[in-house]
Amino acid sequence: MHADPKGVLTGLHFIDGDHAACEGAIAAGCRFAAGYPITPSTEVVERFAARIPLVGGVFIQMEDEIASSIAILGAAWAGHKVMTVTSGPGLSLMMEHIGYAAMTETPCVFVDVQRGGPSTGLPTLPAQADMMQVRWGSHGDYNIIALSPNSPQECFDLMIKAFNLAELYRTPVFFMMDEVVGHMTERVAIPRPEDIEVVPRRWTSRKPGEYKAYEPGEDLVPEMVKAGDGYRVHVTGLTHDERGYPAMNPQAQDKLVRRLVDKIRKNAHKLVDVRGENLEDADVVVISYGITSRIAAAAVEEARAAGLKVGHLRLVIVWPFPEQLVAELASRVKAFVVPELNLGQMVREVERVVAGRAQVVSVPHAGGTVHQVEDILAKILEVAK
């Protein structure tokens, strides 16, 4: 189906990434958001609070991030597309409800505009240090989807994709921005509503009495209903059967948790979204994401100008990690260089997949600013010898 024209500001805009992300959410059909102000993400919900009454939605400023993250889950079960917006310290507070969203298979989007940490760290300065927390932060076994834009245009475009994936897989989806992308102002082209494809909720066609809230289809994803439609629905964070009723035994746990993991893992090949450049003849591949990918691209360009065979792989969807592609590259390249605004997070995933078949070199940065092109170029030259 196409986007609701009421929510789409078709045309050319000169806006920052936070505002573009907000416009993407509204275009995707988001009609409820709850949040607590935290730099550098606040502009997303400031714009949402101003815009959403005009298109028939609601924003609530909650008392904290814990309340925000559970409010959106309730609104999702009331039938709305939902999001909350935060930064590192707030994401830490949301972890219990992220696990609840995974367990109850509640479609929702968490926007994380990353800043330097740990704790309150650097409120107005960038980092990419939440990448492992977002994957593994809540307890138990589950899989998530995470996207990482590198421009205001992608903040708009990929936000629509984030909402569509949340609906397709009935899972929390994470939008991993960083302070630079959030506050960067560039031209953003917003298409016509009829050119924006949005995925509707997977409403059941079954009658009350026949429907089970957690009975999966062939793709391992169940259909949904919403409160008030006459269906009996039991939603709990406890291990449950296909009706949603608690079933606390090893057999039910194994069946449910394996499906929560498999509905993402077995569809990972469909979810891979990367941008590759000069990979065909590469001896060295730089892997990057978010704002760091723009600095890495400049370093790769300089290296190739110097005659080196260097390629660039940018992760647009970071989780699930593109294992098959990186493993294939590992069989034919000499080394991987992994710059990121943390002291080594996604590089661990690269090392796991490469499994010793090529050299893997981290280019760490503690955050607060971005890499210098020369720092990444120096590592490329070092491994290319």
Side-chain angles (χ1 to χ4, degrees):
M1 61 182 288
H2 298 147
D4 179 356
K6 288 188 300 184
V8 182
L9 295 181
T10 301
L12 296 178
H13 303 264
F14 202 59
I15 54 179
D16 68 21
D18 280 355
H19 288 180
C22 171
E23 290 302 328
I26 296 173
C30 180
R31 293 296 181 266
F32 182 89
Y36 182 77
I38 180 169
T39 305
S41 72
T42 305
E43 292 90 339
V44 181
V45 288
E46 281 182 338
R47 188 176 180 104
F48 194 89
R51 286 263 291 122
I52 202 61
L54 304 176
V55 296
V58 173
F59 169 73
I60 302 177
Q61 180 176 322
M62 304 299 290
E63 64 267 34
D64 56 30
E65 290 87 349
I66 299 172
S68 301
S69 56
I70 197 64
I72 64 167
L73 304 188
W77 280 96
H80 298 288
K81 291 188 176 182
V82 301
M83 73 170 176
T84 188
V85 181
T86 192
S87 189
L91 186 70
S92 297
L93 291 171
M94 292 178 176
M95 281 299 147
E96 173 63 19
H97 294 148
I98 289 169
Y100 186 80
M103 188 61 146
T104 59
E105 300 181 72
T106 304
C108 53
V109 173
F110 288 76
V111 179
D112 179 16
V113 188
Q114 297 172 87
R115 69 191 207 185
S119 189
T120 43
L122 299 171
T124 62
L125 298 172
Q128 296 173 313
D130 303 343
M131 304 307 295
M132 283 296 178
Q133 185 187 26
V134 78
R135 173 64 185 88
W136 302 103
S138 196
H139 59 282
D141 291 307
Y142 61 98
N143 268 7
I144 54 95
I145 299 169
L147 299 87
S148 181
N150 78 348
S151 69
Q153 182 67 59
E154 283 199 349
C155 287
F156 177 84
D157 297 338
L158 294 180
M159 183 64 87
I160 295 169
K161 184 168 186 171
F163 273 91
N164 286 346
L165 292 174
E167 298 297 334
L168 280 172
Y169 293 99
R170 270 190 68 172
T171 190
V173 172
F174 295 86
F175 203 67
M176 304 302 288
M177 299 168 62
D178 54 67
E179 183 276 337
V180 177
V181 170
H183 288 162
M184 172 191 296
T185 297
E186 290 182 339
R187 192 180 81 156
V188 175
I190 297 181
R192 298 176 302 174
E194 57 267 35
D195 295 327
I196 299 173
E197 295 292 330
V198 298
V199 174
R201 185 141 301 170
R202 302 168 64 122
W203 301 121
T204 188
S205 58
R206 295 187 178 187
K207 300 175 182 177
E210 299 175 352
Y211 170 75
K212 295 178 182 177
Y214 296 98
E215 182 179 22
E218 291 184 359
D219 61 356
L220 304 179
V221 182
E223 297 175 327
M224 280 194 82
V225 298
K226 63 178 184 294
D229 279 354
Y231 292 83
R232 290 187 175 182
V233 181
H234 193 273
V235 181
T236 176
L238 291 169
T239 296
H240 45 267
D241 61 20
E242 291 183 345
R243 301 169 301 168
Y245 294 165
M248 288 173 284
N249 59 71
Q251 294 77 19
Q253 171 75 1
D254 186 80
K255 181 179 180 181
L256 174 58
V257 174
R258 285 188 188 279
R259 184 175 63 77
L260 293 180
V261 171
D262 284 347
K263 72 177 180 178
I264 305 298
R265 180 180 293 171
K266 291 186 175 180
N267 288 300
H269 63 287
K270 301 177 186 175
L271 289 164
V272 169
D273 190 349
V274 299
R275 304 289 183 272
E277 189 170 357
N278 297 317
L279 297 177
E280 296 77 11
D281 67 345
D283 295 325
V284 176
V285 171
V286 178
I287 298 180
S288 64
Y289 55 92
I291 187 58
T292 305
S293 67
R294 296 176 67 145
I295 298 97
V300 169
E301 185 176 342
E302 288 197 24
R304 291 196 73 89
L308 300 177
K309 294 180 178 179
V310 182
H312 186 198
L313 182 66
R314 177 163 77 89
L315 309 181
V316 176
I317 287 186
V318 180
W319 299 112
F321 187 76
E323 291 188 21
Q324 188 173 351
L325 174 59
V326 174
E328 189 276 326
L329 288 170
S331 68
R332 60 184 174 86
V333 307
K334 182 179 179 181
F336 293 88
V337 175
V338 188
E340 47 186 340
L341 291 181
N342 55 60
L343 297 187
Q345 294 195 13
M346 295 308 295
V347 68
R348 304 301 178 203
E349 193 69 358
V350 178
E351 289 173 339
R352 180 184 69 80
V353 173
V354 171
R357 288 172 289 177
Q359 187 179 6
V360 178
V361 177
S362 174
V363 190
H365 190 304
T369 184
V370 297
H371 289 81
Q372 296 295 312
V373 173
E374 294 76 14
D375 296 336
I376 301 173
L377 181 60
K379 285 295 181 184
I380 294 172
L381 296 173
E382 179 182 313
V383 300
K385 289 179 182 176

